[in-house]
Amino acid sequence: MPSGPRLPEPRIPDEVTGKELDRSVHQQLRTLSKENADGVAKHLVMVAVYLAADELDPALAHAETAVRRAGRVPAAREALGMVAYRRGDYARALTEFRTVRRLSGSSHLLPLMVDCERGLGRHDRALDLAASPEAASLGDADKVELAIVVSGVRRDLGQEDAALLALQVPQLRRGSGAGVHRLHYAYADALLHLGRTEEAREWFLRAAAEDTEHETDAVERLEELDGVDVTDLGDDDDEQAEEAR
């Protein structure tokens, strides 16, 4: 059967070389011809660029192109899964993440797979997957992400005490490592939902101090707890400026 016409590919800026990718991804692309590997690498770079800019439609176009050209390369399938996940297309994301696990043998996407099951409203499946043997093999950073997701599942089910307990992993007290500020933030939020305000404030403080990239709104949550109204302060400053003129 003759193949259909080749779909047009999204444009890649001249300055993108594909060399921006991690070495591990280039290792995966070695199964392709050099020309194809170079093209797929550039599309994967563009996926990352557009995801960082929260421009999901062009990110999807590049991810789909990468998968058409390299469907058995885990990095390409992961890129498509990440775009689908960010778009809220949890069924497609889950399919892609499962394919990555099958192709690579790695379970590093397990936290996102659990969150996809949660997004699809399949909370029991989410919890079963989170308790699977693969979860024990995750690295510290992925275990942190999994704990945060499981806590969210428990909260969806109205199990506030269990939501807090899910976050009490070794990394919580250790206070270092990738994503620990997000873990501390989630723990503070869970405490707040249980009415344990003073403890929550302590953990929000930790999260704020650790969150150097401002990924969370820990500072704003602290201001709310302390009764500081940032909007009112801004209005007062404007009024004072007007009076000074």
Side-chain angles (χ1 to χ4, degrees):
M1 179 183 294
S3 60
R6 185 173 178 178
L7 294 173
E9 296 191 354
R11 190 184 73 85
I12 298 172
D14 293 339
E15 62 269 20
V16 173
T17 66
K19 294 179 181 178
E20 300 88 343
L21 295 177
D22 289 341
R23 182 180 300 178
S24 61
V25 178
H26 283 292
Q27 288 290 334
Q28 295 179 29
L29 296 176
R30 291 178 64 182
T31 59
L32 309 175
S33 69
K34 185 179 186 310
E35 179 184 1
N36 195 24
D38 289 346
V40 171
K42 292 177 182 178
H43 284 296
L44 292 179
V45 171
M46 293 309 299
V47 173
V49 168
Y50 282 121
L51 280 178
D54 203 28
E55 297 182 31
L56 301 185
D57 287 343
L60 180 63
H62 284 284
E64 289 179 334
T65 300
V67 168
R68 281 197 300 270
R69 296 180 61 165
R72 294 193 61 77
V73 172
R77 305 306 291 257
E78 182 171 341
L80 181 54
M82 289 301 300
V83 177
Y85 177 80
R86 289 276 295 274
R87 288 168 64 92
D89 188 350
Y90 298 117
R92 187 178 192 185
L94 186 58
T95 296
E96 295 301 327
F97 293 155
R98 284 171 174 164
T99 301
V100 173
R101 184 169 64 174
R102 186 176 69 251
L103 292 173
S104 68
S106 171
S107 297
H108 69 283
L109 293 172
L110 189 66
L112 292 179
M113 295 170 68
V114 173
D115 206 28
C116 286
E117 293 285 14
R118 176 192 179 192
L120 292 168
R122 302 193 300 226
H123 295 86
D124 288 341
R125 287 194 191 184
L127 293 174
D128 287 344
L129 184 58
S132 64
E134 291 84 357
S137 68
L138 295 176
D140 279 359
D142 292 326
K143 285 180 178 177
V144 164
E145 294 304 316
L146 183 60
I148 293 171
V149 173
V150 170
S151 179
V153 174
R154 293 295 187 185
R155 184 175 294 180
D156 290 348
L157 296 171
Q159 300 170 358
E160 298 290 348
D161 288 322
L164 184 69
L165 185 61
L167 297 167
Q168 294 176 1
V169 292
Q171 294 81 2
L172 182 71
R173 302 288 176 181
R174 197 177 299 161
S176 62
V180 72
H181 63 284
R182 297 185 65 249
L183 179 63
H184 288 169
Y185 179 92
Y187 195 66
D189 195 46
L191 285 166
L192 197 59
H193 273 75
L194 288 168
R196 295 161 62 175
T197 306
E198 286 306 312
E199 292 174 85
R201 188 180 186 283
E202 176 184 330
W203 287 95
F204 276 132
L205 274 171
R206 293 194 190 190
E210 297 154 349
D211 187 7
T212 56
E213 299 296 324
H214 306 293
E215 295 179 7
T216 71
D217 63 346
V219 173
E220 288 80 1
R221 299 295 296 275
L222 279 167
E223 290 171 343
E224 288 177 7
L225 288 177
D226 292 342
V228 177
D229 191 328
V230 178
T231 303
D232 287 347
L233 287 175
D235 292 343
D236 289 344
D237 289 344
D238 290 342
E239 290 173 6
Q240 290 172 8
E242 286 294 332
E243 291 173 359
R245 285 174 185 166

